[in-house]
Amino acid sequence: MIDRVQAALDAIQTEGTFATRLRCPAKDLAIEVRGVGALRLPLPLATARKLSSVARPAPFGLRERTLHDPNIRDTGEIKRSLVKIDSRRWKPVLQAQLALIQRHLGLPAEGRLDAVFDKLLVYGPGQFFAPHKDSERSDDMIGTLTVELPSVYTGGAIVVAHGGQRKEFRRSPGRGRELTLLAFYADCTHEARPVKSGGRVVLTYELRYQRESVSKRPARPSTAISPLSASIAAYFDTPVPGMDSRSAPQKPDRLTYLLDHQYTQRSLSWERLKSADGPRAEALRQVAEQLDCEIYLALADVHETWECESEEWGGRYGSRRGYGRRRWGYEPKDAAEDSDSAKDAADTHELLSLISSEIALGHFINVQGKRAPRLAASPASGEVCFTRASRELKFFQSEHEGWMGNYGNTVDRWYHRAAVVMWPRERNFVIRAKMEPAWALDELWAQIKEGAVNDAAERAHSLLPFWSWVAPQEPSVTFFATLLKVLDTLGQAELSAGLLAPFGPRWLSARTIPGFVKLAQQHGLPWSKQLLSMWAERRSYGESASFLPILPAVCSALIAAASQPGRELAVWLLDREEQALETRLKGALGIPHGALDLRRWQPYLAEFVALFDSAAVLSASGIRERLLSFLLAPATALPILAAAEFLRVCRLKYTPASLRALGLSPLYRRVVDTLQQSVAAPPRGDSDWSIAVPLSCRCALCAELSRFLIDSQRTRFAWPLAKDRRQHLHQILDGHDLPVAHETTRRGSPYTLVLTKLPTLFQHAAALRTKQQEQLIYLTQQEAAFCDVAVGDTPYGEVFDTTEGREADALCLLPTT
């Protein structure tokens, strides 16, 4: 069906072209240039040379920069302020020529084409301008006009290209007393080839087009409308297979027609569409009225991946340039002045077959010319048609990937395009909701406020089939708050669960927690547990946000609701999160870690603080005691410095009374005792090279490695080993981050693995000892905040094996207890 729509659009043609040349007598053009005087036409060579001496090097634009590079543009420029034109004589002549240009470019007759003088350019021998596009310097600028003064020169041809077509304009002999006017659309790539002799002088103008708004113009009868309308009606009524083979065929959401010309945010307008784009868009607008469809203009970023044939080998199996990706080109400044010569020279691959195509639609404009700022869409390939393929246009970026094993030799190209997008108005809510979920919620809330609650509920149910893949893309807190407000008013448990399921704890905040708790109260404990369990499952499959940062606030809100189900939900949630954190921490403790690497423990410390906080809110002494036992048990305790850091964080967060209420004194005493043992032990001697660290592997190789590591005298070990054994030891040494260099000497058989203990062992030991001393001093000063009795009176220090303190001082790693 989409092919029928494309054929109907292709049948709508215009007599316009992308570039046109006219000539007119020069007698009515009177020009004066400051520093040169009045120009006599035809222009003598001496005057051209004098103009060149007055001119300054012309710049060009590259993204947001203005550059001078004679390899790209070698042209003289005289600013508009230095040029005086007798407009009383010239303006009537120019207007007559503009009327012809307007017709030649295919612009509608009811509009008005004007020309605004920009500057005077001078091309001397050898001067040129490489392929480029002109900046659209105003919203109504659609193209460029050059007025070439009659003069004697050779070379200097102008080449204009668009959509795979190309026109070359050369100086015509025997036209020495006429002006040559050349007009083309702003999205055309054009170049001025080098002048061979003489001098070429041109006036440049911005072409601006004004036209009455399309929303105010009556529809014109056209024989092309009927077949187009019939094909679009059939297209929207015919179900097509979905991307998932298991899903039932569905009617297409929208029709996207890619326009022939390229536009920018400034130039995209219903009133200023170029050439055949104008009548085709007008036809689509009329069909939209007949079929009761929404219709918009939009910008389209197109990304295509092609299988390619490299011209460097003359075959399809690779490129001499080597492997990997190569990037060419750059993004122009708002599709602005920009040299394409580098891109043309680099990306010379012949395209063979299209592998994939992606389109991102944005910057939607309705028929009244107003933007829909939040609308965005990525249409399926079956929803897109065009009368000019992207490969015929200029790309703004290209990447080539050569052969990489059994894949590669592809080219990725990116294009800036524009489109007309339309969809049936009867399905407007669902289709716009897919593109703009926040708009859908605003519509539902507006209906609710008007009293149409049942209609709002019916619309809300229509969101369920696709809500899971569109809603989480909305980052706004306002969006989630509105959703909670809508669901609270509708009061349907199943609907609420379905629309909340795609979210997670990261959407909960001070603004949204009250609304969430209100829903939990409304739908009960089983509903709440089921929803929170779904969120936990999503977290395990890639949802990075944790519930713990907002757990105290959620527990407080549930308790404030003063209901038994609320308290039960809070206790259940705290218990679940506590068990999940213990599981994650056990896994982290099994991974070798550096003693001074406290950053890896920071997330766990913050989560433990949140758990103790929540337990205090709920007065859940059982969970608090379980947390404390977990932190005290030798098999699951935090490393000593990490535990000390946890106590420091708690001290900064709580008052002494609150801190003592948490019951952390056993952990405090255990940490202080261990630090005292470590600090009291003798520092590492200058000749002590021992590294007494328990390795994670118990194989015979690692046992031999441990003997070398713990030896206080040996610093080097040359160990002949087979490749797989060397690799195993490389992994063990890297995984434990030991101060041991390990290199392979590739001589003999087998090769020799050379292990060398590094002097950084002593630096790490000194840094570790300093950190232990700092933590001990700080915690000793905070004793009253944690304990009701002095540290010396506590029996807790006797419970734990303090021999680890000496190890901690000797190693680069902390023990796990």
Side-chain angles (χ1 to χ4, degrees), residues 170-182:
R170 299 176 179 271
R171 178 177 178 271
S172 301
R175 300 275 187 168
R177 295 185 176 275
E178 291 182 323
L179 301 171
T180 301
L181 287 76
L182 177 60

Side-chain angles (χ1 to χ4, degrees), residues 531-779:
L531 176 63
L532 295 176
S533 296
M534 284 192 292
W535 284 4
E537 290 174 7
R538 292 188 69 250
R539 182 173 65 188
S540 64
Y541 285 101
E543 174 67 57
S544 59
S546 169
F547 216 115
L548 284 169
I550 46 89
L551 184 60
V554 172
C555 290
S556 296
L558 288 169
I559 290 297
S563 70
Q564 185 60 28
R567 177 175 178 80
E568 289 179 10
L569 178 61
V571 172
W572 173 83
L573 184 58
L574 173 59
D575 183 72
R576 189 193 72 177
E577 292 300 312
E578 184 262 338
Q579 291 182 39
L581 176 58
E582 289 183 2
T583 300
R584 294 199 303 275
L585 185 59
K586 286 178 181 177
L589 290 170
I591 301 173
H593 49 271
L596 295 171
D597 184 16
L598 295 181
R599 289 177 300 178
R600 68 172 297 182
W601 302 108
Q602 291 297 337
Y604 297 100
L605 304 187
E607 291 178 339
F608 269 110
V609 169
L611 287 174
F612 274 103
D613 242 350
S614 302
V617 167
L618 298 176
S619 300
S621 58
I623 293 179
R624 186 194 64 189
E625 292 300 326
R626 196 166 71 207
L627 281 170
L628 195 58
S629 298
F630 182 85
L631 290 173
L632 289 170
T636 56
L638 286 168
I640 290 301
L641 290 186
E645 180 65 14
F646 170 69
L647 294 173
R648 188 187 70 83
V649 171
C650 290
R651 178 63 188 93
L652 294 175
K653 180 176 175 63
Y654 300 107
T655 63
S658 300
L659 195 59
R660 287 192 292 271
L662 291 179
L664 294 176
S665 59
L667 178 63
Y668 171 86
R669 289 166 175 165
R670 184 256 179 172
V671 171
V672 169
D673 284 351
T674 304
L675 289 175
Q676 286 176 337
Q677 292 286 336
S678 298
V679 171
R684 177 183 290 274
D686 294 342
S687 60
D688 182 2
W689 288 88
S690 62
I691 305 176
V693 56
L695 299 180
S696 58
C697 177
R698 303 297 182 184
C699 71
L701 276 177
C702 289
E704 180 66 22
L705 174 61
S706 293
R707 286 191 286 273
F708 164 70
L709 293 175
I710 204 169
D711 193 315
S712 62
Q713 303 301 316
R714 295 174 66 191
T715 61
R716 188 174 183 276
F717 184 15
W719 199 352
L721 290 170
K723 181 179 180 180
D724 57 341
R725 294 186 162 204
R726 295 197 309 271
Q727 288 178 340
H728 176 66
L729 292 175
H730 284 310
Q731 292 172 356
I732 291 294
L733 291 166
D734 287 336
H736 287 74
D737 194 25
L738 296 176
V740 177
H742 43 104
E743 300 177 348
T744 299
T745 301
R746 301 183 182 278
R747 292 193 301 270
S749 180
Y751 292 162
T752 301
L753 178 63
V754 179
L755 306 180
T756 306
K757 295 178 183 177
L758 300 175
T760 52
L761 169 65
F762 299 95
Q763 299 168 10
H764 289 178
L768 176 61
R769 190 175 184 84
T770 299
K771 186 66 176 178
Q772 291 169 340
Q773 292 170 339
E774 292 173 353
Q775 293 281 31
L776 180 60
I777 291 171
Y778 175 80
L779 290 177

Side-chain angles (χ1 to χ4, degrees), residues 258-307:
L258 296 176
L259 298 172
D260 285 358
H261 283 266
Q262 294 173 297
Y263 300 85
T264 66
Q265 287 189 11
R266 299 187 67 173
S267 64
L268 185 63
S269 163
W270 290 95
E271 289 74 39
R272 291 185 294 277
L273 296 178
K274 304 164 186 174
S275 192
D277 289 347
R280 288 171 183 158
E282 176 67 18
L284 287 170
R285 187 182 70 85
Q286 293 185 36
V287 170
E289 290 181 1
Q290 293 179 9
L291 302 181
D292 194 26
C293 290
E294 296 282 346
I295 187 167
Y296 291 84
L297 284 177
L299 293 179
D301 281 339
V302 181
H303 172 207
E304 293 185 343
T305 301
W306 288 81
E307 182 186 5

Side-chain angles (χ1 to χ4, degrees), residues 491-503:
Q492 298 185 19
E494 186 176 349
L495 175 64
S496 297
L499 294 182
L500 288 175
F503 296 91

Side-chain angles (χ1 to χ4, degrees), residues 789-810:
V789 295
V791 173
D793 298 333
T794 179
Y796 289 99
E798 301 172 3
V799 176
F800 301 99
D801 181 8
T802 56
T803 57
E804 65 189 20
R806 174 64 183 90
E807 271 193 0
D809 186 53

